[in-house]
C-alpha cells in the first residue's frame, strides 16, 4: 500500500511517496532524492557503503525502512561539505589519498564523522573499532585511519 512520508535530509524537508513502507531508505535517497553519497554495497547492512547519519548515529540506509526514517534527521555525504568547502574529514581523505576504488569511502567518512562527533580525539584503536563494520576491499585501511586521525588533529 502506497504511503507518503516527510524526510528531513541534509537540512531540507522532502515529501516522498513509496509503494511499500518497507522500501529501504537507501533507495529513496538515491532514486527519489538523487543523493548518491550512500552507495548500495551488500544490501544487508554488513558492508557500510550505504552509511548515513540518522539522529546523530551512523546507520546502514539499506536496512532502514523509509517508514522508520520519517521524522528523523538524516545526513548524507552531500550534506557535510561541498567541493568548494569540504568537511575536514573529506579534506583529510583527499590529503591522505585514502581513496583507491572509492566505493566504500562515503560510508567510511560518514561512520568516521559520527565517531569524531562523539570523540574529538580518538585513538587509533578507537578509530579501528568504529570502522570495524565498514568493509574496504582495496586495502586502504591504513590511509583511512591516518585520514581520520589527521581530521581529528585539525579540529
Amino acid at each position: 500500500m502506497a504511503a507518503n512520508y516527510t524526510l528531513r535530509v541534509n537540512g531540507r524537508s522532502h515529501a516522498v511517496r513509496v509503494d511499500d513502507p518497507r522500501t529501504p531508505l537507501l533507495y529513496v535517497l538515491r532514486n527519489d532524492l538523487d543523493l548518491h553519497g550512500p552507495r548500495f554495497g551488500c544490501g544487508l547492512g554488513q558492508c557500510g557503503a550505504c552509511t548515513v547519519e540518522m539522529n546523530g548515529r551512523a546507520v546502514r540506509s539499506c536496512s532502514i525502512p523509509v517508514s522508520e526514517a520519517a521524522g528523523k534527521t538524516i545526513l548524507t555525504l552531500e550534506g557535510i561539505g561541498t567541493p568548494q568547502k569540504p568537511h575536514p574529514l573529506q579534506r583529510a581523505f583527499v590529503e591522505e589519498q585514502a581513496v583507491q576504488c572509492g566505493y566504500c569511502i562515503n560510508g567510511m567518512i560518514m561512520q568516521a564523522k559520527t565517531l569524531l562527533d562523539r570523540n574529538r580525539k580518538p585513538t587509533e584503536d578507537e578509530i579501528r573499532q568504529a570502522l570495524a563494520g565498514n568493509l574496504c576491499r582495496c586495502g586502504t585501511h591504513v590511509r583511512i585511519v591516518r585520514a581520520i586521525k589527521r581530521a581529528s588533529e585539525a579540529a
Side-chain angles (χ1 to χ4, degrees):
M1 177 176 202
N4 297 314
Y5 297 100
T6 300
L7 299 177
R8 182 95 181 137
V9 182
N10 299 335
R12 296 182 49 216
S13 288
H14 301 271
V16 296
R17 181 172 178 82
V18 295
D19 291 334
D20 184 341
R22 297 172 299 176
T23 300
L25 173 61
L26 174 65
Y27 296 177
V28 173
L29 293 173
R30 290 185 61 84
N31 301 335
D32 296 311
L33 304 184
D34 204 27
L35 296 169
H36 298 277
R39 299 210 171 134
F40 183 88
C42 65
L44 302 169
Q46 297 175 346
C47 74
C50 66
T51 302
V52 299
E53 186 180 298
M54 189 162 74
N55 284 356
R57 291 185 28 243
V59 298
R60 306 299 193 244
S61 63
C62 73
S63 57
I64 301 285
V66 69
S67 57
E68 196 176 305
K72 298 189 174 133
T73 301
I74 300 159
L75 188 63
T76 71
L77 186 73
E78 292 91 342
I80 68 170
T82 65
Q84 296 76 28
K85 190 176 179 192
H87 185 278
L89 275 165
Q90 293 169 315
R91 188 176 317 111
F93 271 68
V94 170
E95 290 169 356
E96 290 292 340
Q97 298 180 7
V99 178
Q100 195 161 34
C101 83
Y103 204 83
C104 70
I105 293 302
N106 298 354
M108 293 277 188
I109 290 173
M110 295 309 295
Q111 186 74 42
K113 182 188 174 302
T114 62
L115 168 66
L116 295 183
D117 287 348
R118 293 188 324 270
N119 179 358
R120 292 298 314 153
K121 302 290 182 194
T123 65
E124 187 172 320
D125 281 347
E126 290 169 327
I127 293 169
R128 289 182 186 281
Q129 271 190 325
L131 297 180
N134 290 68
L135 303 179
C136 171
R137 290 178 173 82
C138 299
T140 61
H141 279 97
V142 172
R143 290 177 183 222
I144 290 168
V145 170
R146 271 198 326 242
I148 296 168
K149 198 74 176 150
R150 179 187 280 236
S152 74
E153 292 165 356

